[in-house]
Amino acid sequence: MAFSAGDLTHEVLARSHHYHHTYHSSHGSSSGTIQWWEWLILLVGAGALIWGLVKKFAG
């Protein structure tokens, strides 16, 4: 299975948008803070994006 930073970034953005849309529409009484696993997903996505850029411009 090939790994692509662009695919992962798109997946993270799509899930993030979907999560926030459903979160705000169904859980209006919560504080809206980001959970630890969401930070993990964002960090992995950012790392994959940076890694992809480094590989693209380094070689």
Side-chain angles (χ1 to χ4, degrees), residues 5-20 37-49:
D7 292 343
L8 180 61
T9 304
H10 177 73
E11 174 96 9
V12 169
L13 291 175
R15 286 185 182 194
S16 174
H17 175 73
H18 176 72
Y19 169 77
H20 288 294
W37 54 269
E38 291 179 295
W39 281 114
L40 181 65
I41 291 171
L42 290 173
L43 288 173
V44 168
L49 179 65

